[in-house]
Amino acid sequence: MTSIDLNADLGEGFGRWLLTDDEQLLTVVTSANVACGFHAGDAVTMRRVCELAAERGVRIGAQVSYRDLAGFGRRAMDVPPAELTAEVAYQIGALEVFARAAGSRVSYVKPHGALYNRVVRDEEQAGAVVDGVLLADATLPVLGLPGSRLLELAQKAGLPAVTEAFADRAYTEEGTLVPRGRDGAVVTDPEVVVERSVGLARLGEVTSHSGARIRVRARSLCLHGDTPGAVDLARRVRERLETSGVRVEAFA
């Protein structure tokens, strides 16, 4: 039976500002990418999300980012490798404290935003992220885009490399994500997102921005928590996957 993990970016608030409906999304997803304070999130938010995830048996992942609260981690930055390595390990360690206090643990690592896209091709930055994961915990899986330098270097370093797909993001013919600044980069039609989810899970295929069918083999499917109607869409995706014969389960 085909199976897939559903992950979502959670804990992306700060202080009194809330962005994602963490409590409701945690009733749908199997893995939670928790913001670790660099692009969003704070200590109180991290602790609360870890407690909710642990209660529901959802795996906790550290969503590491460039230090960019003002830009939500989506601005291009040039961070020296040694600094990035330390900051990745720092973020993982901070989340691990709250995960263990909740009776769980950090189960994987996923970069966010500009860092996620940068490590698809940038070997130096990808290597720094891998070194940060190794510094924090040399057993942690790394979640990223198929064919990325990040996953290649993670695998070489002995870390489990887990491939990920996006039902609500447009793809280039090369299998990378269309930059958010371009028209059509985000797929907004709920029914299209649901159908793309099933195609990715069952066939490992998706239609690119140019209309070509491309292969995207993924063990996990990301559902963005900061889009309008995110909870309802996540429920529809999970329901359609399960009625299509796809088992939804965590990869970690």
Side-chain angles (χ1 to χ4, degrees):
M1 188 181 198
T2 301
S3 66
I4 199 161
D5 170 67
L6 292 181
N7 76 76
D9 302 344
L10 302 179
E12 291 187 323
F14 191 80
R16 297 181 64 182
W17 175 64
L18 300 177
L19 180 63
T20 52
D21 189 344
D22 300 328
E23 188 164 2
Q24 292 303 311
L25 283 167
L26 283 167
T27 66
V28 182
V29 300
T30 46
S31 296
N33 316 317
V34 184
C36 298
F38 273 40
H39 75 280
D42 54 31
V44 172
T45 303
M46 291 162 67
R47 183 179 184 183
R48 177 178 55 82
V49 175
C50 284
E51 289 173 346
L52 290 170
E55 287 173 5
R56 291 161 173 75
V58 175
R59 301 298 186 269
I60 297 170
Q63 187 163 41
V64 298
S65 170
Y66 287 128
R67 188 189 292 269
D68 181 27
L69 276 175
F72 198 63
R74 287 179 177 166
R75 298 185 293 188
M77 304 182 76
D78 290 312
V79 180
E83 184 176 332
L84 181 57
T85 291
E87 292 191 338
V88 166
Y90 178 92
Q91 292 174 79
I92 297 168
L95 188 65
E96 178 71 3
V97 168
F98 298 121
R100 288 196 177 275
S104 185
R105 63 181 297 270
V106 172
S107 296
Y108 65 95
V109 177
K110 173 185 172 177
H112 165 81
L115 182 58
Y116 186 97
N117 291 317
R118 181 77 171 266
V119 297
V120 171
R121 295 192 174 94
D122 190 315
E123 182 166 358
E124 185 177 65
Q125 295 282 281
V129 172
V130 169
D131 287 344
V133 177
L134 291 170
L135 184 60
D137 184 341
T139 68
L140 287 175
V142 176
L143 186 60
L145 207 66
S148 65
R149 298 296 287 155
L150 174 68
L151 292 192
E152 179 185 339
L153 294 178
Q155 196 164 30
K156 286 182 179 179
L159 297 170
V162 183
T163 53
E164 175 183 40
F166 297 80
D168 62 354
R169 289 294 309 278
Y171 280 83
T172 68
E173 289 191 24
E174 293 72 37
T176 58
L177 299 180
V178 173
R180 278 184 174 268
R182 287 179 52 185
D183 289 341
V186 179
V187 181
T188 57
D189 185 323
E191 188 57 32
V192 173
V193 173
V194 170
E195 289 302 322
R196 284 163 63 94
S197 299
V198 175
L200 285 162
R202 289 184 58 83
L203 305 175
E205 293 182 350
V206 70
T207 301
S208 73
H209 194 53
S210 63
R213 293 293 290 176
I214 60 171
R215 301 289 287 175
V216 181
R217 292 284 188 181
R219 177 66 186 87
S220 185
L221 184 66
C222 181
L223 305 173
H224 282 103
D226 60 345
T227 55
V231 174
D232 180 62
L233 179 58
R235 288 177 176 147
R236 288 179 61 183
V237 167
R238 177 157 187 166
E239 181 180 2
R240 187 72 64 85
L241 286 170
E242 291 175 335
T243 58
S244 299
V246 178
R247 183 172 62 247
V248 178
E249 61 181 7
F251 67 83

